[in-house]
Amino acid sequence: MASSAKAKTPPVSLTAVEMLRWAWRQLTSMRTALQLLLLLAVAAVPGSLFPQRPANPAVVTQYLVDNPEVGPWLDRFQFFDVYSSVWFSAIYLLLFISLIGCVIPRAAVYWKHMRSQPPITPRRLSRMPQYGTLLLPSSDIDPEVAVQDAAVLLRRRGYRVQLRDIETASPSVAAERGYLKEAGNLLFHVSLIGVLIAVAVGGLFGYRGQKLVIEDEGFTNTEIAYDSFFPGTNFDTDWLVPFSLTLDDFDVTFDRRETNYGNPIDFTGSMTVQERPGVEPRNETLRVNEPIGFGGTNVYLIGNGYAPVVTVRDGNGNIAYQGPVPALPQDATYNSTIVIKAPDAQPDQLGFVGFFLPTAVVDENGVAFGSDPDPFNPQLNLNSYYGDLGLNDGTPRNVYQLDTTNLTQLNGRNTSDGGIVLGAYQTYDLPQGKGSITFDGLKRYVALDIIFDPGKTMALISTSLALIGLVATLCIPRRRAWVRATENADGQTLVEYALLARGKDHGLDKEALKIGGLLTTHWSASYDRNQHEKAGSRQ
Amino acid sequence: MTPINEALGDYSELFMLLAALTYTVAFLAFTADLMRARKLPTVTTAPAHTLEPASAAAAGTGTGAPGIRWSHGGSHPTETGPNTTDHTGIGYTPLRRPAARIAVAVSIVGLIIHLAGVITRGVAAARVPWGNMYEFTTTGAMLVMAVFLISLIFQDLRFLGTLITGLTLIMLMAGAIAYPTPVTQLIPALQSYWLIIHVSIAVLASAIFTLTFSLSVLQLIKTRYQKRAKDPESAGFLRLVPAPAALEQLAYRLNGIGFIFWTFTLMAGAIWAEAAWGRYWGWDTKEVWTFVIWVIYAGYLHARATRGWEGTRAAWLSITGYLCVIFNFTIVNVYFSGLHSYSGL
């Protein structure tokens, strides 16, 4: 990128300004940029080796539990937040500063170069890497016409041309092409800054939220409706688009061929959506890879699962809970964990924890396991508890976990009477007259990510420009060409042409041959025409 | 959904096997060519096509009629010194190399069979044949061969034949042994036209990087040899391998193209990720490694313009980049958890 830094070590005595200038020159040198690049590559790797908080906070917590020795140290050095860590940020910020410090002077040089004329014609063209001569027959084309013809031809091939020494005995044309190569280089690097800004804009003014929606249930885009909501630093909840949606039906197709049995091949959610209150609702289909958009906010299908519908009756025979309860799939066959809480149960609150199996099969040890992702034989396997669910003191509780510290176990797989096993439409009466639980039906749910990223378009434009710049800078050759014509002792016109590559250029010899060939064709055509005319006038 | 044609899938596997057998023959022939080179008379690697202007336009070369006389000097000695021919490119020489000719012919036959295998696989599954690890490897191996054979039109890279057919064979074997997967429909996450764009370009970029990796390896070996050898002319089987500078220049050009494709892969991946997961970049393990590879090759391109980094060091960067591509494809796909867990294993 930048010119090579000449001073490797600072001169002996430096003022503060000189010191700064020296440091700046070091930072913006190509060598430093290269080292920072390689450092960036190395620094990015730990993020793939250790669980990362932004993606998987629960896994990080588990990692810390499993590795009490190393874990805290890794955490101290931000190995679980690599991409927002001080060291990773330092590297890429230095890299971008180096990039800016390199692009600005180069842009200035390029600006001058853009407006300059091709360089003067060297005295001895034969010293150039590519050189050739054409000897034109006498009297037809004098040197001045020859260079003018050559100039036209070179301009047609994309060269910027300038005629030189026209009034003299050896006029010439100087030409240069490939100005866009450096423009591409600058565009590429500037676009990378654009990408960085786009990412920052998304982080500052966007938001991300998650919502689980069960069939026949709905969602309205307000902050409190989200299961989890992560606003950007400067996001204002007033910007939430007031859309709403209802999941009418969720359809899952599994492959039933022998070779790929039970693998999903289609997820389709039928939605009724409303852009904003008061407008006509419309039907939309939500699929993986096909989000639904509401004015910049997009709804993505991220996951799905089963929500068994249960009725819990309390010790007094009243309905304490009725409705679908989302179960979290643990594997590809949708064997799921489920937690059911009935805080309204009297005299004691009731809680259930266990598994939901879409197709339960009992193995030789009498243990039920799920054998298919479709609900051919749905079954609930639960342990039950009574006591205080801990929901009344206002502490936020995870709905997918049952805190059993203030609960007493009623039954379970480990107790003498075994746990609750419920097939479809079955009811189980709890011990000690604490109530009952009924498996009434089954619904599916979708896990949605709802995201607003205002930096997205800019990121796309920036990366597209970067790609264009990259193609230009890597594919456009920079070449200089000169053509000079003189009259020799026999009165013939001697045309010399020469080419020089700026940087590595494997195609220079071909280009030189092409130019030589074009000149020859051009002039032999006009020579033939002249001969023909002469012959015609003689007759 | 279009049904799977399993009989055609079986034919596809048969084609792959036949292609591998054909490549084995090509591999042996390429190796024989390299070994035989030790006994060949001394020739330089100067390009065979001399830069003579076509005489079509030079009408009046006879004594009487005055026409245009064109003469082209071609390459003049420049600052590169006496080894100029090594820098101008890797052209064909008039040297007779029957083994190499056979090897190329057999490779072309192998590629046609291989192509048949890839196409039948795609037809059998009624989609593009790059939806799981087996398909990435077999299609990738085909592209490696295709890129290699196409580049033979422009440059005499037959000295790479042993390495390239060898790597292709390893890929085909890895596909058949480590990642065998029956013909299946795609899981919903992969049902996107971005699969066609993103993965095909990724595989093409990887194929190009395979070629540059081979060039860089040979560059290092040749450099090392030249430092040690007393008589650079008696280079043994390295005789047919061009000078390190020529290898480096070709690797640089190809890496440039590979880098463009890789950049596009990254972009297309980001666009797809946005459609599938709602964010264009999330530091998923696969994204991390794709980024690492991108940065390494970016470093490589910069290294060539940095004093003290050209030559051997740049070659090491190119090799490191390719090893990361392999790591990203094998280890990351199979052992690292992440959103890109589509290996089909």
Side-chain angles (χ1 to χ4, degrees):
Chain A
M1 286 191 284
S3 57
S4 65
K6 277 166 200 151
K8 276 185 186 165
T9 49
V12 204
S13 59
L14 286 178
T15 65
V17 176
E18 282 170 335
M19 190 71 199
L20 275 174
R21 192 173 293 156
W22 176 82
W24 177 250
R25 218 169 34 231
Q26 287 300 307
L27 181 62
T28 56
S29 78
M30 183 74 129
R31 190 182 304 274
T32 310
L34 177 59
Q35 283 160 354
L36 283 171
L37 261 178
L38 298 180
L39 206 57
L40 186 69
V42 174
V45 172
S48 72
L49 303 176
F50 302 106
Q52 296 296 299
R53 278 216 178 81
N56 277 317
V59 183
V60 175
T61 312
Q62 191 56 43
Y63 188 93
L64 286 168
V65 171
D66 295 344
N67 300 279
E69 299 279 321
V70 194
W73 276 102
L74 288 172
D75 203 12
R76 207 158 294 158
F77 289 104
Q78 299 173 301
F79 274 84
F80 304 118
D81 302 278
V82 167
Y83 306 107
S84 53
S85 69
V86 171
W87 41 276
F88 190 80
S89 312
I91 296 170
Y92 77 75
L93 287 177
L94 277 176
L95 193 61
F96 272 97
I97 292 169
S98 164
L99 189 153
I100 293 166
C102 162
V103 163
I104 292 172
R106 267 184 92 144
V109 169
Y110 180 62
W111 178 249
K112 273 193 206 128
H113 178 68
M114 268 291 286
R115 290 143 54 98
S116 68
Q117 291 300 329
I120 56 158
T121 315
R123 219 146 49 89
R124 294 181 61 183
L125 287 179
S126 57
R127 296 183 85 109
M128 289 293 130
Q130 290 293 325
Y131 173 75
T133 55
L134 285 93
L135 195 58
L136 308 182
S138 55
S139 76
D140 282 331
I141 298 144
D142 65 25
E144 201 172 312
V145 174
V147 293
Q148 269 159 359
D149 284 356
V152 170
L153 201 135
L154 284 168
R155 191 177 290 126
R156 223 175 273 153
R157 285 190 72 71
Y159 285 82
R160 174 182 294 186
V161 298
Q162 195 183 32
L163 292 167
R164 296 254 157 82
D165 309 319
I166 279 305
E167 302 297 317
T168 68
S170 57
S172 68
V173 55
E176 181 161 358
R177 58 157 295 157
Y179 288 84
L180 283 178
K181 187 186 186 70
E182 179 69 0
N185 191 347
L186 293 171
L187 178 65
F188 174 75
H189 286 100
V190 170
S191 301
L192 292 185
I193 302 173
V195 174
L196 192 70
I197 294 170
V199 172
V201 167
L204 286 173
F205 303 105
Y207 80 92
R208 192 165 62 86
Q210 288 165 329
K211 178 64 185 172
L212 192 148
V213 181
I214 302 169
E215 280 174 324
D216 304 322
E217 293 189 359
F219 165 77
T220 305
N221 194 25
T222 53
E223 190 184 345
I224 51 158
Y226 281 94
D227 295 336
S228 54
F229 188 74
F230 308 97
T233 325
N234 289 17
F235 181 74
D236 188 334
T237 46
D238 290 347
W239 301 344
L240 285 172
V241 183
F243 69 85
S244 61
L245 52 81
T246 308
L247 179 66
D248 301 321
D249 181 49
F250 189 67
D251 209 31
V252 183
T253 312
F254 295 99
D255 201 344
R256 291 301 167 199
R257 286 174 323 106
E258 204 176 331
T259 49
N260 196 35
Y261 198 85
N263 278 323
I265 46 179
D266 188 47
F267 298 134
T268 302
S270 304
M271 298 266 190
T272 304
V273 303
Q274 204 174 6
E275 202 82 41
R276 58 181 180 278
V279 301
E280 192 68 19
R282 63 173 201 271
N283 291 322
E284 285 267 5
T285 306
L286 179 69
R287 305 183 73 224
V288 183
N289 285 317
E290 291 169 28
I292 301 176
F294 300 94
T297 304
N298 284 351
V299 178
Y300 301 86
L301 175 59
I302 296 297
N304 66 84
Y306 288 104
V309 183
V310 294
T311 304
V312 177
R313 285 173 200 275
D314 63 14
N316 302 336
N318 298 321
I319 292 176
Y321 179 84
Q322 188 164 40
V325 182
L328 299 181
Q330 303 298 308
D331 58 24
T333 39
Y334 284 75
N335 294 321
S336 314
T337 56
I338 187 167
V339 167
I340 303 164
K341 296 179 185 179
D344 297 334
Q346 296 294 334
D348 298 299
Q349 294 184 325
L350 295 172
F352 304 84
V353 59
F355 294 97
F356 167 73
L357 311 175
T359 300
V361 175
V362 179
D363 69 6
E364 61 267 27
N365 301 322
V367 178
F369 68 98
S371 69
D372 198 282
D374 263 329
F376 294 126
N377 180 29
Q379 193 180 78
L380 281 167
N381 289 265
L382 302 169
N383 299 348
S384 59
Y385 296 84
Y386 72 95
D388 180 10
L389 291 172
L391 298 173
N392 302 337
D393 60 358
T395 329
R397 300 280 172 186
N398 188 333
V399 289
Y400 302 108
Q401 277 168 11
L402 192 66
D403 181 4
T404 56
T405 43
N406 294 322
L407 293 173
T408 313
Q409 189 166 5
L410 267 172
N411 67 354
R413 276 188 184 185
N414 47 349
T415 59
S416 56
D417 51 351
I420 304 167
V421 177
L422 275 181
Y425 312 118
Q426 292 178 342
T427 300
Y428 185 96
D429 291 318
L430 297 172
Q432 301 167 35
K434 294 285 179 191
S436 69
I437 180 164
T438 309
F439 184 8
D440 293 322
L442 195 58
K443 287 188 173 183
R444 290 181 193 269
Y445 69 83
V446 292
L448 303 178
D449 270 10
I450 298 161
I451 296 169
F452 170 62
D453 182 351
K456 198 159 73 176
T457 314
M458 185 181 176
L460 179 63
I461 293 169
S462 299
T463 44
S464 304
L465 289 176
L467 189 67
I468 292 168
L470 188 65
V471 171
T473 190
L474 287 175
C475 299
I476 296 175
R478 274 185 68 189
R479 291 164 179 160
R480 287 176 177 175
W482 296 276
V483 179
R484 174 186 282 135
T486 45
E487 197 175 295
N488 68 5
D490 299 338
Q492 293 168 314
T493 302
L494 176 71
V495 177
E496 294 175 284
Y497 64 89
L499 274 88
L500 175 69
R502 308 288 314 269
K504 312 260 180 199
D505 185 353
H506 62 279
L508 192 69
D509 52 352
K510 289 197 190 88
E511 173 76 358
L513 271 180
K514 185 88 190 166
I515 287 173
L518 283 172
L519 289 172
T520 310
T521 319
H522 177 74
W523 285 321
S524 59
S526 59
Y527 173 75
D528 288 347
R529 209 164 36 243
N530 283 352
Q531 292 299 85
H532 189 74
E533 278 165 15
K534 277 178 196 164
S537 62
R538 236 177 269 145
Q539 274 175 354
Chain B
M1 294 238 172
T2 328
I4 300 287
N5 187 336
E6 287 180 17
L8 205 54
D10 292 341
Y11 273 116
S12 168
E13 280 175 31
L14 181 67
F15 281 134
M16 297 294 182
L17 178 67
L18 287 174
L21 289 173
T22 318
Y23 289 148
T24 312
V25 176
F27 173 77
L28 293 173
F30 274 124
T31 313
D33 175 52
L34 284 187
M35 299 315 283
R36 209 179 143 273
R38 287 177 302 175
K39 296 173 193 153
L40 285 174
T42 304
V43 277
T44 59
T45 50
H49 59 274
T50 47
L51 300 173
E52 283 303 318
S55 56
T61 40
T63 45
I68 294 170
R69 287 215 297 278
W70 173 24
S71 76
H72 187 84
S75 208
H76 278 248
T78 49
E79 79 285 352
T80 43
N83 285 333
T84 312
T85 47
D86 291 337
H87 294 262
T88 50
I90 305 166
Y92 281 89
T93 62
L95 209 58
R96 266 182 56 79
R97 287 163 62 186
R101 287 182 161 211
I102 293 167
V104 172
V106 173
S107 297
I108 292 170
V109 174
L111 181 64
I112 292 167
I113 301 172
H114 197 162
L115 184 69
V118 169
I119 289 174
T120 45
R121 176 89 183 184
V123 174
R127 57 173 171 76
V128 288
W130 47 83
N132 54 48
M133 289 289 276
Y134 172 81
E135 290 165 1
F136 300 146
T137 356
T138 48
T139 306
M142 190 200 75
L143 278 177
V144 170
M145 270 319 272
V147 170
F148 170 62
L149 289 175
I150 289 169
S151 60
L152 284 184
I153 299 170
F154 307 102
Q155 303 275 341
D156 185 5
L157 299 181
R158 290 177 296 177
F159 61 90
L160 276 180
T162 305
L163 265 174
I164 294 295
T165 46
L167 285 170
T168 307
L169 274 172
I170 291 173
M171 289 168 86
L172 279 178
M173 280 192 272
I177 296 165
Y179 315 123
T181 317
V183 183
T184 56
Q185 280 170 351
L186 293 173
I187 58 168
L190 289 184
Q191 292 168 13
S192 165
Y193 58 90
W194 284 106
L195 175 75
I196 304 169
I197 303 164
H198 168 64
V199 182
S200 63
I201 300 297
V203 175
L204 182 60
S206 308
I208 293 171
F209 288 145
T210 308
L211 215 61
T212 57
F213 163 75
S214 310
L215 287 167
S216 297
V217 167
L218 283 179
Q219 180 194 335
L220 289 182
I221 296 174
K222 185 95 180 189
T223 307
R224 200 178 160 83
Y225 181 85
Q226 283 187 342
K227 269 187 195 151
R228 286 186 172 181
K230 293 186 187 95
D231 174 18
E233 291 300 320
S234 65
F237 71 90
L238 287 177
R239 273 277 292 288
L240 293 173
V241 177
L247 292 171
E248 189 186 348
Q249 191 164 336
L250 186 62
Y252 176 73
R253 276 163 54 197
L254 286 173
N255 268 335
I257 298 168
F259 184 70
I260 291 172
F261 285 144
W262 197 258
T263 309
F264 182 80
T265 301
L266 209 92
M267 271 182 65
I271 297 170
W272 188 3
E274 196 280 322
W277 305 318
R279 84 290 183 290
Y280 54 88
W281 196 262
W283 297 107
D284 178 56
T285 48
K286 192 85 186 197
E287 292 172 348
V288 170
W289 278 93
T290 305
F291 173 76
V292 166
I293 292 160
W294 187 80
V295 171
I296 290 174
Y297 280 104
Y300 169 87
L301 294 178
H302 284 98
R304 290 257 317 178
T306 308
R307 209 173 304 143
W309 275 85
E310 63 277 78
T312 305
R313 276 194 187 176
W316 274 114
L317 276 180
S318 165
I319 291 169
T320 311
Y322 185 69
L323 293 181
C324 287
V325 170
I326 297 297
F327 183 82
N328 192 20
F329 177 66
T330 56
I331 310 293
V332 176
N333 267 10
V334 181
Y335 297 106
F336 283 35
S337 63
L339 294 167
H340 282 78
S341 305
Y342 308 132
S343 54
L345 297 178

